[in-house]
Amino acid sequence: MRDGAVRWLSPAGFFTMRWWEWGPADGTPVICVHGLTRTGRDFDPLAQALGDAGRRVICPDLPGRGASDWLPDPMLYQPPVYVAALSHLLARFDGPVDWVGTSLGGICGMGVAATPGNPIRRMVLNDVGCFVPVEAMARIRDYIGDEPVFPDIAALEAHLRHIHAPFGQLNDAEWRHLAETSARPAKNGGVTLHYDPAIATPIRAQEAQALDMKALWGLVKQPVLLIRGAESDLLLEETAQSMAAGSNVQLAEIAGAGHAPALMDPAQIALVAAFLGQ
């Protein structure tokens, strides 16, 4: 694994977005973008497998997460700004790229894929689609924005096992990996989660409401692998089925998972690798 960084221009000035990279530098790029409160390190098992197969895999930490800069204006923590940051990263590549997006990362992917002249060749949407019901938005609104402090990594891991139980049947090593890569030192000792609590500000600025992206989805023409956790409350079965009616969409449902499958299981990794290898 290597690391890298790109300077990107936001409405508040220039900031640094960092990424984690796997595989040969001359491989065809795969961009993997994480969910709302996560980091690029979530993709380590998938990225290592794709990298071993010859792909150059780049997993950025979105602004306000992981090793990337926090933003001074909390209202900038919204998908159009993330897309702007990711576009600076995409501008470094001359040829096509593939995209793997979990939840928020998939929303960003749809935003890029709908843009004329975009470089996305194939896209994996992991448990996110063109419509997010109000109940799921309310659940998200309720759990982000606090800054819990834990005495140690084990306590933080217990917290993640609870709030991210819908990730699926992860083993102890996988949960420990997520905990270790989700932690940063707290101001007065202990550890806390590796993101700016202010990322919740735009979400909490209004009452929860459904997110309708059907118009955006209508502009996505690339081949898409749509992955749905069988118990997901964010990507409803009817939404997934309506999206899969398109000739460019392949739908796969993951048993025993909700929002969102962790993409750490060998079968899930093989599913993504097979699609991107087509």
Side-chain angles (χ1 to χ4, degrees), residues 15 34 71 123 163 176 208-209 238 246 259 270:
F15 296 93
H34 60 78
L71 302 180
M123 183 164 62
I163 65 167
R176 177 48 62 103
Q209 53 187 305
E238 54 263 38
H259 182 74

Side-chain angles (χ1 to χ4, degrees), residues 161-185:
R161 284 176 180 257
H162 173 66
I163 65 167
H164 292 315
F167 281 7
Q169 299 299 313
L170 278 62
N171 61 39
D172 289 346
E174 290 165 343
W175 281 118
R176 177 48 62 103
H177 171 77
L178 290 180
E180 290 174 345
T181 57
S182 297
R184 61 180 171 87

Side-chain angles (χ1 to χ4, degrees), residues 28-139:
T28 301
V30 182
I31 311 297
C32 297
V33 186
H34 60 78
L36 181 63
T37 62
R38 306 302 308 145
T39 78
R41 296 296 306 277
D42 283 10
F43 293 106
D44 280 6
L46 174 65
Q48 183 171 7
L50 294 175
D52 289 346
R55 302 299 298 269
R56 181 185 181 188
V57 189
I58 296 176
C59 308
D61 290 343
L62 288 174
R65 285 82 164 172
S68 292
D69 287 349
W70 291 12
L71 302 180
D73 179 359
M75 294 306 293
L76 292 176
Y77 287 128
Q78 301 198 53
V81 177
Y82 303 141
V83 169
L86 292 162
S87 295
H88 283 68
L89 172 60
L90 290 172
R92 292 192 166 209
F93 306 109
D94 293 328
V97 305
D98 290 335
W99 190 284
V100 178
T102 294
S103 195
L104 173 60
I107 293 174
C108 294
M110 285 190 283
V112 174
T115 303
N118 76 85
I120 295 180
R121 182 188 72 122
R122 289 181 174 272
M123 183 164 62
V124 178
L125 295 178
N126 184 24
D127 209 67
V128 67
C130 61
F131 180 79
V132 179
V134 64
E135 294 83 3
M137 294 299 294
R139 176 180 60 79

